[in-house]
Structures are given as structure tokens and as C-alpha cells.
Amino acid sequence: MQATVATTTLTGVEAIAVEVQADVSPGLPVFGIVGLADTAVQEARDRVRAALRSVGFDFPNARVIVNLAPAPLRKHGTGFDLPIALAVLAATGQVPRAALDDVTAVGELGLDGSVREIPGMLAHAISAVRADRDLLGPFSAGRVVGVVPQLRYRGIESLGRMKGGLPATASPKASRVQTPAVPVLDVADIAGHESAKRGLEIAAAGRHNLLLVGPPGSGKSMLARALCGLLPPLTEAESLESALVHSVAGLDPRQCLDGIRPFRAPHHSCSVAGLVGGGTPPRPGEMSLAHNGVLFLDELPEFGPASLQALRQPIEEGVITLVRAHGAVRYPARITLAAAMNPCPCGYAGDPQRECRCTDGAVSRYSARVGGPLYDRMDLTLRIDRVDPALIIDDAPVKPMSETVRGRIATAHAFAGIRRPSSMRSQLQPDARALLEDAARHANLSGRAVTRVVRVARTIADLEQSVPIVVSHVAEALGYRSWDTA
Amino acid sequence: MSEHRFTLRLGDKRYPAQLAETPDPPRVLYGIGDPSALVEGLGVVGARRATPYGLRCTRLFAGWAAGHGISIISGAAIGCDREAHLAALDAGGDTLAVLGCGPDVDYPRRSAPLLAELRRCHVVISECPFGQQPTRWSFVRRNRIIAGLARAVLVVEAGLPSGTFSTADAALDAGRDVLAVPGSVFSPESRGSNRLIRQGAMPITDVGELAQYLGLEGATPAAGDVAADDTLRALVADPMRPDDLARALGIDIVHTARTLGALEAAGHVVRYADGRYGVR
Ligand SMILES: Nc1ncnc2c1ncn2[C@@H]1O[C@H](COP(=O)(O)OP(=O)(O)OP(=O)(O)O)[C@@H](O)[C@H]1O
Ligand SMILES: [Mg+2]
Ligand SMILES: [Zn+2]
């Protein structure tokens, strides 16, 4: 007696089709799983046996072999519990085989037969829609997978529910989160820091990487948090992408579905795998969780050299590729990087009020930890200094209204979308180009640095809804390049 | 190796006379280069972490004096010292370095190419024997040799506290004049030099004053070019951060950022490591 049930398993942010074949034949009672299954999948045997019994199904007193195909694909996780149980039930005639023909099943089983959520429900849902199949899974996941258009979802709370046949399809409305978990800091609440706020505006308008350098307590972390509040809400497509990564990582994707841009601020003790993704089974890292949002690295030089090096390529490419024995896993990572650091180990270099006690060697070693290639990827480097307390008190009337700033940024986004995508070089006016060449020679800018200056100038022009990039745009952009401290 | 090593004992004919008459002359001088270059000169010292202003003043005064036949004496440290030697070399003049380690030791490392040049074409001396590594105190001791070889010591830029003070003290002990370049009232990097002036050091505010002090009549001091626009005028007086500049001039931050970016690209202003902008 044989039966086959379709399921899907995660590779990166995609769910790949897998067939669960069960063969029940007379013989010594054994229960084996073959087909490159990891420990969690092997443990399915115990959960499936117990679950079947506790809801009143029979577990066959026979030789039960489950094969997961295709064999070369490594199978991870507990999501195979439900399809394995269903395949055994179908093979033993306890559930009609035909009922499962158009269904893809995923879910973990409790010993009591309850069907539980697994990471990546959104990915499984998207895959089911693409394959034009119904998705059978934990009832509780309905509120999340409900956002996937055209999904036919059949949610069950317990395996026992299968005695009454397949549960009906439902298109559950995704439930919305009411309040964002991270309180967004408003730029209007920040006194002074006029150039820094202008820098934030440009970074937000063009999704540029940003480095904030300044003494302790000057407001670097505060400014970085404000950046997130300046970005326009996620578009529908972005929402789904970001939610997908959260779902795959086993985190609640609802904030992303509500259009709230991800803001991730991993501590510097975070491992390389925690930052860019990795592990077995592979899991997306902070960088991918920040996809379409802001990754904030506070105290940048304190991150390990391996972490800092691992950041470089994904910053440029917007995607992380983890190379595995059984193929590469890719996670999206289109982020705006905001980083903060002190100018020296003691933190007070260049502070007019406090004296820096670091040796020159210590200062250059500190700065060298970040390394030229990473500095090079920072489009805007802003020096942040403590604001005069008197100004914090008096500043009220000249605060830029955050609504106004957000409006300008949204307009710039829209403008960038509609302006003809001719090459940046042709938009660069001759005198702007001459200035850039002068500066590049003067400051010995790398090729990448020049490209990035042009991109920032392009954003500045977008903020003014100007197609040509004129000399003042380039001049301002140059001012945000990191400077040589030698 | 064509370098010429020499050793001079106090009392030797070639031992510099002006140094011998100081209260605490070194018993032995170790050197590499041309011992006849150990003539009386102008000591030029300043902060290692110099601002562009300090470097610019160093270049102006050391370069001008070297170009008019005055040897520039300094310590080859990074910052003002290095700039003083380089300005003298660029002016085609003479310059000599006094080290706090053996004269053959490259310290600081970043000055190695400069030291090589000085050993080859000029002279590098020390009271530390060949091969001796620097110690914390050898630099303080070294400063009295700089002062002793010089007829006057010019402090170009010094904060508070500053190592240059020990050179100024040594100059006074040896009966040498101390000259100082004033700086902005707001600049921490000029607090030391401004204090020296208050304590009686002679202020040097342009090349003409230095020429007059050195007795170089007929020298035509170049008039400093007067800054053309408001931004430059403000920054000449006092290096500032963009926020402060915008407030001082009453212009908005975007305009300020653009003006500074253009001036920097054109080489008229430079950014300090602390984010301030100053005139180059
Ligand atoms: N300009 C300002 N306007 C309003 N509040 C400010 C301002 N500057 C600093 N603060 C206050 O000071 C606190 C410290 O700022 P923040 O944590 O951003 O400093 P930091 O530069 O990140 O310091 P560190 O280097 O120690 O991490 C802020 O939470 C805020 O309450
Ligand atoms: Mg902080
Ligand atoms: Zn420090």
C-alpha cells in the first residue's frame, strides 16, 4: 500500500516542492525515513506515531518506509510531520487518497496531534499559489498567509480534524498589528544637528549608506533611528518580500505586511552567521531581516573583522549568497546601512570640551578596523557633535517639520521613478563634471567613490526635481564623502 | 651605504659653539650626514596633531626663513615638525633634525623617508648613540638640543598641555628668544601658543615680522591674500563646523553645505579631522 503527499521545503526564501511517499507493507514493525533527512526530520517518526495514536488513528503495525523525493535535496525541519502523517494515513486507507491530490501540506505535529506553525509559512503559501495547489497547514498561520493573493488555505488545528475529510478552504483576512513595536523617532524632536538632518534626508531619499562619527552622547544612535521614520512606507511588493524573510526566519512578519520598514540594530557581539545569515539549516541574518529597511550597526569598529568583511559584498549586490555543499542559498538584503562610531577609542577626539587621550597609533588602529573598502561604501559620512544645550532648549521654532521632510523625500522617490532613466553621465552638466574631476584628483577618490558621489548628487537633484545634475548638487555630495583624517 | 656617521665630543672643534655655551650641553653628539651643517638656525616646533592652520603657518614661516638662508631645526615628528623640514627642503634651504633616539633609528616610522633624505643631504643628530630606541624621556631631553642649536624657537601651533612647552622652557634656559604664532581664541589647538604670547613670547603674525626679527632687511613679505567671500572670511578667522557657519552667516544649511563642498573641491578650504572647515 502506497500513498504520496505533496509538501514544500525551504531553500533561501523559496519553498521547493518535495514528495512524501509512504510505503506500508507487511513485515517487522519498523518506521524508517529515507531521502537526505536531517535529525529534525528523523524525529518526525516519534511525533507522527504519538500524534496519530492520541487523536484515535491507528499507526500500522507493519513495515513503514517514508521516502522524501527528490533525494539529493537536503530536508530540514519539522514541517514534514504533517505530510508524513497524511501519507501514512492515506497508505493505510484511514484518509481517502483522492482527498489529498490537490493539496500541499506543511506543519509540525505535537504529540497530542495538534498542528503547529513552522518558519516560512509565507514562502510555502507563495509556492502553493505558483503550483496552483491548496495549502493545508496549521490553522493559526491563516492570519499571516491570508495576505498572499489567490491562496486557497485549509487550516487545521489538529490531525484529528482529518477524520471529517479535508477542512474547507478559506481566504482568511490577515490580521493587522495595531502599533509598531519600535517607536519611530521623529526628526522634529532632535535639536540642532542641521547638517546631519540634511544628510538623513538625502540618505532616506536615495537609500544611501550612512556613517555617523562623533563623541559619546552626541546623538548618533538617535539620528540613526530617526532615519527609519523618514523612509516612505513599504510598497506592496516590498512588504511581501520583507515579510517573507521574517517568515522564513520564524519571526512575526505582520509589521512588514503593515508597511513598516524593518529597522534592525544587532549588537556588535552578533556572530557572522547572525549578521549575514548562515548555520545549518541556513537561516537569514540581520542583514536580510533588514531587507528594504535600515540595518543599524552601532559602534561599528567593535564588530569583528570577519563580520565587517562579510558585509561588503551584500551591500553592493543587495543579496546574500551562502554557499553550501548542496548548492547555494540566497537571501535578499537590499538595505540602507546606517553605522555609528566614535572618532577614536576614548571617543573624544575633536571634541571641544573633552580632551582625547588616545595615541595616534591607537586612533589609526581603531579606524583601520573598519577598513578602507567599507568606508568606501559609505555614501554619506556625517560628523556629529554635541549640540549646545542652550540650542536644545531654544531650537523649537526652526525645527524642520518632519512631515515636510517626509513629503520632500516621497516626492524625490516619485520623481526618481518617473524621470527618464538616461545615464547619470549624460545628466551631469559639464561644470559639475569638471568639479567632480578636480575633487577626485585632489582627494584621490577611488572609482567606486566617484560613482557613489554621482549617485548622491543624483539624489540631491531628485530632491529638487531636477533632471540635470548641476554643480551645486555635486558640491554638496562631495561634502558628504568621508575625509582623510591623516 | 654612503651615509656618513660622526661623533662629536663637547670640546671638539666642530662641536656647535652655540650649543656648547648652554647650561646643559650633551657630552657627545652622534650624527649622520654633514657635520658642518650644524649651524645656528631657527627652531620650529609645534603640535604633532596639527590643524591645517598650524601646518599652513609652519610652511609659510619655515619655508620663508629657509629660502632666506636660515637653517630650520626641528624634531622630525609628525605634524608641524615634519612640515617644517619639508617646507625648508621645498624652499631649497637647509634643515636639520634632532632625534630622541639614535640618529640612525627611523622614529617615528612615518618620517622614515624624510629622515633618509636629511641623512643623505643634510644632517640628523642625537645625544643617543647609534641604534638606541626612543624612550619617553629622551624626547624631553632632546628638546634642549633643538633650543640650544637655534637662535630662537618659533612655536607654530600648540594646544594645552603641550610637549612644545618643554622646548620653549629650554629656549628660555639657554637664553634664546621664544616666538609664537597666535591662533583663534576658539581653537583648542592654539591655546598653548596664545598663552606663550601672553607670557612674553614674541608674536609672529606675518612674514614681515619674522624677517624683521631675523634682521633680514629688504625682504619683501608677501601680503596674505584677503579672502574674497563671506564663507572664507569667516573660516579664516575661526575654523567652524557647517552648522555653526550657517548660523554665523545666517544662511541655510543646504546652501552652506554646497558652498563648503565647492570650496573644498577647489582646494580653498580643508576639513579638519573633527569636522570643522578651515582655510587651507
Ligand atoms: N540634539 C539633541 N536633541 C535632543 N536630544 C538629544 C540631542 N542630542 C542628544 N540628545 C539626547 O541624548 C541622548 C544620547 O544620544 P545618543 O544615544 O544618540 O548618543 P550617541 O551619539 O549614540 O552616543 P554613544 O556614542 O555613547 O552611543 C539621546 O537619547 C537624547 O535623549
Ligand atoms: Mg549610541
Ligand atoms: Zn581619543
Side-chain angles (χ1 to χ4, degrees), chain B residues 13 163 191 225 241:
Chain B
K13 227 172 47 223
R191 254 172 231 161
D225 42 354
R241 310 202 147 93

Side-chain angles (χ1 to χ4, degrees), chain A residues 192-196 198 343 349-352 355-360 363-364 381 383 385 391 435 438-439 442 460-461 464 472-473 475-476 478-486, chain B residues 48-50 55 78 110 160-161 186 188-189 191 241-244 246-247 253-269 271-277 280:
Chain A
H193 288 312
E194 299 310 325
S195 350
R198 169 69 180 166
D351 188 303
E355 199 198 332
C356 164
R357 303 205 164 271
C358 307
T359 63
D360 287 313
V363 175
S364 30
T381 300
R383 169 80 200 194
D385 280 284
L391 199 73
L435 179 74
D438 272 2
H442 231 95
I460 293 171
E464 288 173 5
S472 65
H473 300 149
E476 187 180 355
L478 282 167
Y480 300 120
R481 270 320 292 180
S482 81
W483 58 95
D484 195 3
T485 46
Chain B
R48 278 176 303 157
R49 245 179 246 175
L55 296 178
I78 58 169
R110 263 199 271 174
L160 267 182
F186 298 107
E189 289 83 3
R191 254 172 231 161
R241 310 202 147 93
D243 282 25
D244 299 327
R247 211 168 299 120
I253 195 67
V254 176
H255 186 85
T256 309
R258 291 176 178 186
T259 309
L260 288 173
L263 288 171
E264 189 187 22
H268 295 313
V269 303
R271 234 181 297 179
Y272 294 16
D274 64 9
R276 288 182 297 164
Y277 282 80
R280 184 187 286 275

Side-chain angles (χ1 to χ4, degrees), chain B residues 103-114:
Chain B
D104 56 332
V105 176
D106 284 336
Y107 187 90
R109 283 208 74 76
R110 263 199 271 174
S111 295
L114 170 68

Side-chain angles (χ1 to χ4, degrees), chain A residues 380-462:
Chain A
L380 297 102
T381 300
L382 305 175
R383 169 80 200 194
I384 309 299
D385 280 284
R386 247 175 291 155
V387 166
D388 180 358
L391 199 73
I392 297 188
I393 299 162
D394 303 340
D395 203 39
V398 290
K399 281 179 192 171
M401 299 313 296
S402 51
E403 274 316 313
T404 324
V405 180
R406 258 198 295 273
R408 281 202 297 263
I409 291 166
T411 313
H413 267 274
F415 182 76
I418 57 161
R419 94 177 119 72
R420 243 178 313 135
S422 57
S423 85
M424 290 211 194
R425 270 192 198 80
S426 69
Q427 296 159 357
L428 202 56
Q429 298 301 290
D431 50 348
R433 192 201 174 96
L435 179 74
L436 183 57
E437 280 172 11
D438 272 2
R441 258 194 300 276
H442 231 95
N444 202 12
L445 296 182
S446 72
R448 183 192 290 122
V450 171
T451 319
R452 286 186 175 257
V453 169
V454 175
R455 274 198 236 155
V456 172
R458 177 63 265 168
T459 302
I460 293 171
D462 284 341

Side-chain angles (χ1 to χ4, degrees), chain A residues 21-46:
Chain A
Q21 305 159 345
D23 179 83
V24 179
S25 55
L28 279 180
V30 288
F31 186 8
I33 298 182
V34 297
L36 218 58
D38 75 354
T39 339
V41 183
Q42 292 297 346
E43 285 167 358
R45 290 177 297 178
D46 295 326

